[in-house]
Amino acid sequence: FFATASGQSDTSFRLLKTIKGDIVSFTVDNLDNIYILNSRNQIKKFNLNGDSVAVYNDIRKFGTATLIDASNPLKVLLYYKDFATIVALDRLLNVRNTIDLRKQNILQAKAIGLSYDNKIWVYDELENKLKKIDEEGKLMQETPDFRLLLGQSPVFQKIFDENKYVYLYD
């Protein structure tokens, strides 16, 4: 990808490195590590200098990854929407655990996100509720139905947990 910036003259934006390749999606953690998902469903982690430091290759088990949450660089979440499965990875992209949301009666999880306490937020589209689960997938908290709260059925795509607030992106 290539980025240009124009605006304030006192800023110091500059191109550090260009990463070329088969890139379907990417995200960046708060330590400036870059996580790239390619069309073969492989995830590569690059450090600030652009050097490859880890690879996740377990690509045939759960289908296509639909979301990478790297808000905590020590616990990276991959979400496979077609199989309603969350895979938690460590900092070297080794599997820590796997959560099958269908076993927890969450059948249509639209979005997931890591919470401040290393639990997982899940938006259950079937029930229109935001749910908080632990590492085993057990339900800890849930909101009332969003259709009752908002008067409509939102379509949340992403969940952020920052500064004591949970943000849902529609």
Side-chain angles (χ1 to χ4, degrees):
F1 60 90
F2 179 74
T4 60
S6 60
Q8 292 178 299
S9 60
D10 62 343
T11 60
S12 60
F13 291 113
R14 58 187 167 83
L15 180 65
L16 297 176
K17 183 128 183 145
T18 301
I19 300 174
K20 295 181 181 182
D22 177 22
I23 300 171
V24 172
S25 181
F26 76 97
T27 190
V28 180
D29 66 22
N30 56 8
L31 298 177
D32 294 330
N33 295 307
I34 302 168
Y35 301 82
I36 293 177
L37 175 66
N38 66 24
S39 64
R40 294 182 319 278
N41 218 28
Q42 179 186 64
I43 296 172
K44 291 184 180 179
K45 178 181 176 180
F46 295 89
N47 65 12
L48 179 62
N49 299 324
D51 301 322
S52 178
V53 292
V55 176
Y56 176 71
N57 268 323
D58 198 3
I59 58 176
R60 291 194 175 16
K61 213 174 217 181
F62 303 113
T64 304
T66 52
L67 187 131
I68 306 169
D69 184 336
S71 54
N72 178 353
L74 301 178
K75 184 178 181 180
V76 178
L77 298 179
L78 295 178
Y79 180 55
Y80 297 89
K81 182 180 175 186
D82 294 339
F83 286 84
T85 301
I86 300 170
V87 176
L89 306 173
D90 66 10
R91 66 183 181 89
L92 298 174
L93 302 185
N94 297 312
V95 177
R96 291 176 62 173
N97 69 325
T98 303
I99 302 169
D100 185 351
L101 296 173
R102 294 171 296 187
K103 289 182 180 176
Q104 308 307 321
N105 222 9
I106 301 173
L107 303 175
Q108 289 184 355
K110 183 72 173 179
I112 65 149
L114 194 63
S115 70
Y116 73 94
D117 57 356
N118 280 326
K119 307 299 187 234
I120 301 170
W121 291 109
V122 177
Y123 177 66
D124 186 348
E125 190 174 39
L126 189 63
E127 294 183 17
N128 282 286
K129 294 181 179 181
L130 179 64
K131 299 179 178 183
K132 188 177 192 179
I133 60 173
D134 64 13
E135 286 193 353
E136 285 79 42
K138 293 188 177 84
L139 182 65
M140 299 175 66
Q141 294 177 316
E142 68 181 1
T143 64
D145 190 327
F146 277 103
R147 292 172 292 197
L148 298 174
L149 296 171
L150 303 174
Q152 62 181 349
S153 184
V155 183
F156 297 121
Q157 303 293 321
K158 190 113 171 101
I159 301 172
F160 303 94
D161 186 337
E162 288 187 32
N163 298 326
K164 301 179 186 176
Y165 292 101
V166 178
Y167 300 93
L168 296 129
Y169 176 70
D170 180 2

